[in-house]
Amino acid sequence: MTASSAALASTSSAPPRVAALSRPAAIDIRPLPGPLGAEVIGLDLDQALSAEDFARIHRAHLDHHVLVFRDQRITPQQQVDFSRRFGPLQIHVLRNFQLAGHPEVLIISNIKEDGQPIGLGDAGHFWHSDLSYVERPSLGSMLHAQELPSEGGDTLFANQHLAWDTLPDALKKTVSNLRAEHHYLARYEELRARNPWRPKLTQAQIDEVKPVVHPVVRTHPENGRKALFVSEHFTTRIVDLPEDESRELLAQLFAHTTQDALVYRHRWQPHDMVFWDNRAVTHLAAGTSDHLRRKLYRTTIEGSQPF
């Protein structure tokens, strides 16, 4: 074999360079400045996700409590499929704001078409943890940006592990074994008074969201850390305390759990999808001007009974 033919054989047997270039980019998880949150770079949920990469995302979610997946150009079904990898999905009681063909997707929007709202426009008006008012509250929620306003529309998240860690010792001792009632209807009529588009509930819907009782301090079932589990939206009273004592104690806890030192403010970018842990954080919508259009799709993953 001549030198030139040997070189040709060597070249022809080498793997094509394009194969190396076609491999998925590595996922980079970058902690955000502040008390919680991480950005996930290089993830494309339009492509198949390996078990190894899913495990990394799961671990990051437990470590950082809020994950921001950038530039996710995915369909509602892909959002549903990815959400289901974490557990069964929960269907919101306001079924008139389901995405057509996708009952697992709740439309969060201030947009009106033909004089009617296409989604829940005042979601997140008060600090809360999603579905704390059911027996098995949410593990987490994913919110995918579809249409964003030119200003406003931020979402705030408060770290409830840190809320517990920084609670004064005397208050820790007071609340450590207490239980609280959560009720979807706690501030529903107040919200309806603010927003005439929020629908009146049927009796069947009211029956679906009867009050439940959960511990004031819950233990995270996966990371083992304690977190405060009360919110101004859904927590109505401390069980077995006189009304005045309950009201005063809850006011102290609400103020403590939402202080600035515990909060990450998410400023949305196009195609962001944010995944937060409802067992570890509460959240609040900062609000959007009525004349600016905002639309996002939410999926909610079922959790376990708090303990």
Side-chain angles (χ1 to χ4, degrees):
M1 182 181 291
T2 66
S4 59
S5 61
L8 181 60
S10 174
T11 302
S12 63
S13 63
R17 294 175 64 85
V18 69
L21 295 175
S22 66
R23 290 188 303 181
I27 295 172
D28 187 14
I29 297 170
R30 304 174 185 173
L32 293 164
L36 72 161
E39 208 176 24
V40 181
I41 307 298
L43 174 68
D44 183 1
L45 291 174
D46 189 41
Q47 304 298 318
L49 184 65
S50 70
E52 181 182 1
D53 284 339
F54 177 78
R56 283 193 68 206
I57 291 168
H58 184 196
R59 182 71 258 169
H61 189 242
L62 296 178
D63 291 343
H64 301 287
H65 319 313
V66 173
L67 296 181
V68 180
F69 305 125
R70 298 293 190 191
D71 198 29
Q72 296 302 314
R73 300 170 186 268
I74 59 174
T75 66
Q77 187 60 52
Q78 287 171 318
Q79 179 179 348
V80 168
D81 292 343
F82 178 59
S83 302
R84 278 209 178 106
R85 291 190 70 167
F86 293 88
L89 302 190
Q90 293 172 303
I91 307 298
H92 197 277
V93 67
L94 295 181
R95 290 176 177 79
N96 48 317
F97 295 138
Q98 292 174 349
L99 181 65
H102 298 280
E104 310 92 342
V105 177
L106 177 69
I107 303 172
I108 306 295
S109 181
N110 65 348
I111 299 170
K112 298 177 182 63
E113 295 179 353
D114 299 324
Q116 295 296 318
I118 67 168
L120 186 58
D122 59 355
H125 185 81
F126 300 110
W127 284 100
H128 67 289
S129 173
D130 287 334
L131 277 73
S132 72
Y133 51 83
V134 300
E135 291 288 348
R136 297 170 64 89
S138 166
L139 177 157
S141 300
M142 296 192 195
L143 196 58
H144 187 209
Q146 305 296 311
E147 190 170 350
L148 296 175
S150 56
E151 60 184 36
D154 297 350
T155 306
L156 283 65
F157 298 92
N159 188 330
Q160 297 308 293
H161 290 314
L162 283 182
W164 168 254
D165 292 344
T166 58
L167 197 67
D169 287 342
L171 203 47
K172 279 186 176 180
K173 185 176 181 180
T174 298
V175 304
S176 60
N177 294 312
L178 294 179
R179 299 178 304 146
E181 181 184 82
H182 296 242
H183 195 191
Y184 181 64
L185 301 184
R187 307 189 77 160
Y188 196 85
E189 291 307 315
E190 180 181 348
L191 288 170
R192 288 193 71 227
R194 293 169 178 264
N195 174 21
W197 300 106
R198 181 173 273 259
K200 182 177 176 61
L201 296 177
T202 66
Q203 187 59 51
Q205 287 173 309
I206 292 171
D207 292 342
E208 190 177 325
V209 288
K210 293 179 178 178
V212 297
V213 173
H214 296 307
V216 170
V217 184
R218 70 175 298 176
T219 301
H220 196 290
E222 293 189 84
N223 67 27
R225 296 181 63 187
K226 290 186 176 181
L228 287 172
F229 194 60
V230 294
S231 75
E232 63 175 354
H233 193 161
F234 298 128
T235 308
T236 56
R237 64 187 178 94
I238 304 290
V239 176
D240 299 328
L241 282 188
E243 183 179 347
D244 57 340
E245 291 183 29
S246 169
R247 186 168 52 249
E248 181 180 348
L249 182 55
L250 284 176
Q252 290 183 62
L253 293 176
F254 295 160
H256 177 79
T257 58
T258 58
Q259 58 188 301
D260 289 346
L262 306 178
V263 172
Y264 159 66
R265 176 184 284 264
H266 183 68
R267 294 177 171 85
W268 290 85
Q269 297 179 20
H271 309 291
D272 274 356
M273 187 163 75
V274 177
F275 177 27
W276 64 90
D277 189 337
N278 281 302
R279 304 161 298 184
V281 305
T282 54
H283 61 282
L284 174 77
T288 306
S289 297
D290 287 342
H291 69 286
L292 299 174
R293 292 167 62 95
R294 182 175 187 260
K295 181 171 72 171
L296 306 99
Y297 291 162
R298 193 185 89 179
T299 45
T300 306
I301 303 152
E302 182 179 77
S304 54
Q305 190 165 7
F307 62 93

